[in-house]
Each structure stands twice: as C-alpha cells, then as structure tokens.
Amino acid sequence: MAINLSIIIINFNTSDFLDQCLQSIVQSRSSEEFEIIVVDNASTDGHSEMVKGKYPTINWIQNEKNAGFVSANNQAITKARGMYLLFLNPDTEILDNGLGTLLDYLKNNSHVGVVGPQLLNSDRTFQHSYFSFPSFTSIFIEHILSARMMKWVEHPKPRSSFPLSVDVIRGACLMTRKSLIEKIGGMNEKMFMYSEETDLCYKIQGLQYSVQYIPTAQVIHHERKSMETQANSFVGYHYIRSKVLFLKENYPFLKAKILVGLIKFSLIVKPIIFRIFGNHQKADYLASLKIQLAKERL
C-alpha cells in the first residue's frame, strides 16, 4: 500500500518526550499508511540511540551539528514519500484518531492547504492552537507593552466543534500537502527557528488555499519542553530575528517598515525602562538582542 502521510519530527535533546510522541503515533487509531522521519539535530542528552533502537522502522536522520529547526525540516521533506506532510513537535502526543481526522479533512477538501488540531496542555486544558498574522496591534502589545498581555488578544476557546478558517496553525502540529511545500520552495531556511509556520501559512494562502483549525482532532502539547535546553538569549534572538525576516520578506515595504520599526524601538526603550526599575538582567538581555540584530543589519 502506498504511503499517504509522512510524519516529520525534529529532535534536539528531547528524547524522553520523543519516546512518548512516537508511542502515541504507533497507538493511534489511524488506518492510513504512514512513515515517520526523525531528524536529530546533534542531541547530547545520550538518549537518542535508545529511542532509535526502540523504533527500528523509523527513518532516522542524524546530523553532526544543530542545523536549525527549519533546515532540519527541509532535510526530511526531501526524504518524504507521502503526498501529505505532518510537522510534529517531539513534545506532543496524538490522541485517538487525530491523525486520521486531519488527513481525511485535507483529502476531502481540495481548497484547503493546511490543517491543525486542537492543542491541549499537559493537564488536557485548552491551549491556543492558531493565531493571526502579525499586525500593528499584536506587535504593539507584545513588544511595546508586554508579551504577557498577548493572552488578551489570543483567540479565546472556541465554543464550536466545527472547522474554523484561520491565519496560522501553530507549528507544534501542522499538516499540509507536499505539493504545496514544493511550490513555495520548502520552509524558509533564513529562519533558524520560529515564525516558520507563519511564513508557510502566509505563502500557502497566497496560492489561494485556506488554513483550517480542526477542533475534533486533539493533540497534547507539553509546551516549550523542546526549548528548555536552550538559553533564553538564544531563543529570544531567533524569535525576534525570524519575525523581522517574515515581515520584511512578505509584507509591503511601508507596512513592514513600520512593524519592524516598532520592534526595534522596543529594544531601545525597554532596556532603559528596566534599568530605571532595577531589572538590569532583563535590560542587558534586551540590549544584547538589539546589538545582535544590528550586526545582521535586520
């Protein structure tokens, strides 16, 4: 039987969660033929070989250095045999027939390019699963005011079990068509990590396909576990860097200029404010991000 679905997972020092993730895939009630491709980005936790040995049928790609999340996904895409691709974080667990539900929706709706499930926290409470493209409002709230305030503008818990057309599906679990990924040239490797799902969904919608949130498919996402081994400065730098790249490459010049300007303004003003209130560690952290971005002339 032909393989319909390629499941792509990028592992970096998350082998314990990866084991749980793979078990949930194997135990899922999907009747589809699928393959699993794991790209290990030079993990050093000592557990990767154990996981690899436990699942001998997995296509395991071992990188000698951390190639970055986006680049590793593109490695897997070139190896994928399925017509459909599922990009899945290692800190997730598929519930019931989540795979089949997402895949059936793509198969039965030719105008849909991307689908994603309802994500749940570790305690199975609601976790936001989609978001809007960056706007003046979202940039102002997150970067000028406070990132914690973003929860006020995040989409509330949907009260319907029906599919919903959205801007961006969170990259923890995102399914699409391989043909569309090939049309947009794969994931944007200028981004080491972060904003790759925003860029992907934006470009696929540019091809006149919709992005759909499917709440009847559920996936547990042990949020941020895959990033616990990374330093805050490393994560923060790539988070802002990728967002700036997305804005500059996809938005009209003036709109991108204003939004990127807001982000840069926040990196000038907020360190001053934090120093006034005695939070020198936070001030130094934000100031270092400004310097790193300036070096790249972003």
Side-chain angles (χ1 to χ4, degrees), residues 76-95:
I77 290 168
T78 61
K79 301 289 186 181
R81 293 178 290 164
M83 291 177 58
Y84 303 92
L85 305 177
L86 174 66
F87 299 102
L88 189 66
N89 275 18
D91 57 353
T92 58
E93 295 179 61
I94 306 291
L95 296 181

Side-chain angles (χ1 to χ4, degrees), residues 20 40 68-69 82 99 110 117 124 165 171 173 192 215-216 221 241 265:
Q20 295 179 34
D40 185 84
F69 181 77
L99 289 180
S110 59
R124 301 204 180 195
S165 182
C173 182
F192 187 86
T216 50
H221 179 212
R241 179 183 181 276
F265 178 74

Side-chain angles (χ1 to χ4, degrees), residues 86-151:
L86 174 66
F87 299 102
L88 189 66
N89 275 18
D91 57 353
T92 58
E93 295 179 61
I94 306 291
L95 296 181
D96 300 321
N97 190 31
L99 289 180
T101 300
L102 293 175
L103 189 53
D104 286 345
Y105 195 87
L106 268 183
K107 284 183 175 181
N108 296 327
N109 295 274
S110 59
H111 66 286
V112 176
V114 175
V115 292
Q118 167 63 69
L119 298 176
L120 303 173
N121 294 312
S122 300
D123 60 1
R124 301 204 180 195
T125 55
F126 171 82
Q127 183 180 122
H128 73 275
S129 309
Y130 57 89
F131 51 92
S132 300
F133 292 124
S135 64
F136 179 86
T137 300
S138 67
I139 296 290
F140 183 83
I141 291 174
E142 182 178 8
H143 294 276
I144 302 298
L145 298 179
S146 170
R148 294 180 181 179
M149 295 178 65
M150 281 301 292
K151 65 181 180 180

